[in-house]
Amino acid sequence: MVINDIPVIAIDGPSASGKGTVAQRVAGKLGFHYLDSGALYRLVALSAMRSDADLADEHVLSDIAARLDVVFEDAEIWLESENVTDAIRAEACSNAASRIATYPRVRVALLERQRAFRQFPGLVADGRDMGSVVFPDAALKIFLTASAETRAQRRYKQLMEKGIDANISTLLQDLRERDARDSGRSVAPLQQGEGTSLLDTTSLDIGQAVDCILRQYAEI
Ligand SMILES: Nc1ncnc2c1ncn2[C@@H]1O[C@H](COP(=O)(O)OP(=O)(O)OP(=O)(O)O)[C@@H](O)[C@H]1O
Ligand SMILES: Nc1ccn([C@H]2C[C@H](O)[C@@H](COP(=O)(O)O)O2)c(=O)n1
């Protein structure tokens, strides 16, 4: 089979919109592979912070991105043989990842690594530019979103369940800042591109969102 014949479902959307949760479930239902592209930007951020790299130095950061020694194994992520599944979700890492993601050289350095996830029988990929840049020929492109208030509530609940203290208004402010940075950057900004279906989950539960995507995929 030629690589471009392997189907891709691209799910893009803002922070805490539920992309990861929904994409993983859709992949599970279809028996497809799953790519969490945001994790790659987070890994570059973690690696850079750990080596005290200058987060404003695009060349150093793209070098880190190109050399990332990472293994994705089921739901676990390993960086240089260390399990960093939780470490990359820390708020400092989220913010650094969003800043680092504005650099074109970093994005180019991660491009082929993301495309390598396209394997038989198919791939569900989530991020900000899955449908626009990484897999422009995706079979189905979804823009998954929810109101900022709903996303902040969901993130709050998610953190509380993990025993991490949080504050709703701070979370809401952080989400808005990240939204503005991810949507306002000049390279591969988060946007609902042409041929992309909008899925607003503000009043949908996870199961309803998953079913909606599976239905759309079945109708192609
Ligand atoms: N439709 C929904 N209804 C209720 N809760 C949801 C829904 N979708 C996702 N959630 C919950 O919202 C939280 C955030 O979801 P998730 O981590 O998948 O978002 P994300 O878009 O991948 O975030 P990020 O971009 O920050 O990685 C999770 O706790 C998830 O279970
Ligand atoms: N395809 C992608 C995926 C992620 N990013 C950036 C923007 C986010 O703020 C950051 C972390 O992503 P998340 O784990 O929240 O999905 O990485 C991007 O620019 N492009």
Side-chain angles (χ1 to χ4, degrees), residues 75-212:
E76 311 273 85
I77 301 172
W78 302 80
L79 178 66
E80 287 163 10
S81 307
E82 180 193 339
N83 189 331
V84 293
T85 315
D86 290 332
I88 61 163
R89 302 289 156 197
E91 212 40 42
C93 221
S94 307
N95 288 325
S98 170
R99 287 173 57 193
I100 281 171
T102 61
Y103 298 127
R105 284 176 190 275
V106 171
R107 305 198 72 84
V108 168
L110 293 177
L111 196 54
E112 287 315 314
R113 203 185 276 267
Q114 293 171 83
R115 289 188 174 148
F117 279 76
R118 188 175 195 167
Q119 286 178 20
F120 184 78
L123 174 70
V124 183
D126 89 66
R128 305 294 186 290
D129 61 344
M130 296 297 96
S132 57
V133 175
V134 183
F135 304 109
D137 62 340
L140 177 64
K141 299 181 187 182
I142 303 284
F143 188 85
L144 190 84
T145 191
S147 72
E149 291 74 14
T150 302
R151 290 186 281 129
Q153 290 281 357
R154 289 177 184 167
R155 184 63 96 217
Y156 179 77
K157 189 163 171 266
Q158 187 180 33
L159 291 171
M160 286 297 145
E161 281 167 4
K162 283 188 183 167
I164 302 170
D165 200 21
N167 172 290
I168 291 258
S169 29
T170 312
L171 285 174
L172 183 57
Q173 192 185 329
D174 285 352
L175 279 181
R176 288 196 164 128
E177 280 169 16
R178 281 176 66 195
D179 284 358
R181 201 158 41 222
D182 295 346
S183 312
R185 67 186 178 218
S186 54
V187 188
L190 169 68
Q191 56 188 18
Q192 187 193 343
E194 220 175 291
T196 304
S197 315
L198 176 68
L199 179 52
D200 187 328
T201 69
T202 305
S203 34
L204 297 183
D205 65 23
I206 296 170
Q208 289 170 317
V210 169
D211 287 346
C212 181

